[in-house]
Amino acid sequence: MRIAQTLVRSGPAVAAAALPLALTTGLSGTAAAAATGINVTTSGATVQVTTTACVTRSAGSMGNASLLSSGQANFAQGRQVTLSGTSSSQSAAWSSVTAGTYTVIVVCADGSTAGTQSVTVSPVSTPTISATASPSRGVMGGMGSTTKDYGGVTYAAGGVLVAAGVGATVWVLRRRSKPNRL
C-alpha cells in the first residue's frame, strides 16, 4: 500500500519532467508545426497560413506567401499572396483551392524564409438533391379524419340518431316545464 501511494504522489512530478522532453523531440503535432515558423490550416477549399516571424515592413508589406502545387518547384511558380496583419501576427489565405497536396512557403519582407509546410486539401463534398416519391392520392382527410368513405346510408343513419337525440332533449325539457303532466 505504501509503494502505491508513493507512485501516485510522484506521478505528476514525472509527467511534468517528461513534458519538455516530449515537446523538444517532436512528439507533439503542435510543437512540430510551431518549429517551422508557420501554421497552415484548411477549411473546405480555403487554405490559410499564419506566422509571427515577419514583423518588419518593407515598402508597406510584411512579405509574401506562396502556395505551390506538386508540379511547381520554386516560390515564384506558386500562387502568391501578400501577408497582412500586425507585428504580432501575419496571415494570408487562398480560396477556391482544388483537392490535392500543396506546399506553403512564407518569405518575409527582409528576404528570410519564415517556414515551409505541406498541406493536403480534401475534396469538398457538395450535397446532392434527390427527388422523393410523393403520395399518389395526396392526403386523405374526410369527415372525422377518416380515410374510408362510408356512403350515404351511414350518413342517413347518423342523421336519424342526431334527430332522435334532439327530439328526446326537447321532450325532456318540455316535460320539466309542466310538473303535473305525464
Side-chain angles (χ1 to χ4, degrees):
M1 183 71 175
R2 186 181 291 275
I3 295 172
Q5 287 178 346
T6 305
L7 289 176
V8 169
R9 289 182 185 164
S10 63
V14 171
L19 183 62
L21 180 62
L23 291 176
T24 57
T25 58
L27 293 177
S28 172
T30 57
T36 65
I38 63 174
N39 183 20
V40 181
T41 58
T42 62
S43 175
T46 302
V47 176
Q48 183 174 4
V49 61
T50 56
T51 185
T52 57
C54 300
V55 294
T56 58
R57 289 184 180 265
S58 174
S61 173
M62 294 183 178
N64 292 323
S66 184
L67 181 71
L68 289 92
S69 63
S70 60
Q72 297 169 329
N74 60 22
F75 185 85
Q77 292 177 338
R79 288 175 53 184
Q80 294 186 21
V81 177
T82 303
L83 290 175
S84 62
T86 63
S87 60
S88 61
S89 176
Q90 306 82 40
S91 65
W94 297 269
S95 59
S96 302
V97 179
T98 58
T101 302
Y102 296 90
T103 302
V104 177
I105 301 172
V106 176
V107 176
C108 298
D110 61 1
S112 64
T113 301
T116 303
Q117 188 173 346
S118 293
V119 65
T120 302
V121 178
S122 300
V124 178
S125 62
T126 57
T128 57
I129 300 172
S130 61
T132 58
S134 60
S136 61
R137 291 177 28 185
V139 177
M140 298 190 60
M143 294 194 55
S145 299
T146 181
T147 59
K148 185 175 179 183
D149 187 18
Y150 290 104
V153 175
T154 304
Y155 291 126
V160 168
L161 288 174
V162 169
V166 169
T169 303
V170 169
W171 181 74
V172 167
L173 290 175
R174 282 189 61 160
R175 188 165 175 206
R176 291 179 86 194
S177 66
K178 298 178 186 173
N180 295 332
R181 209 166 166 211
L182 222 181

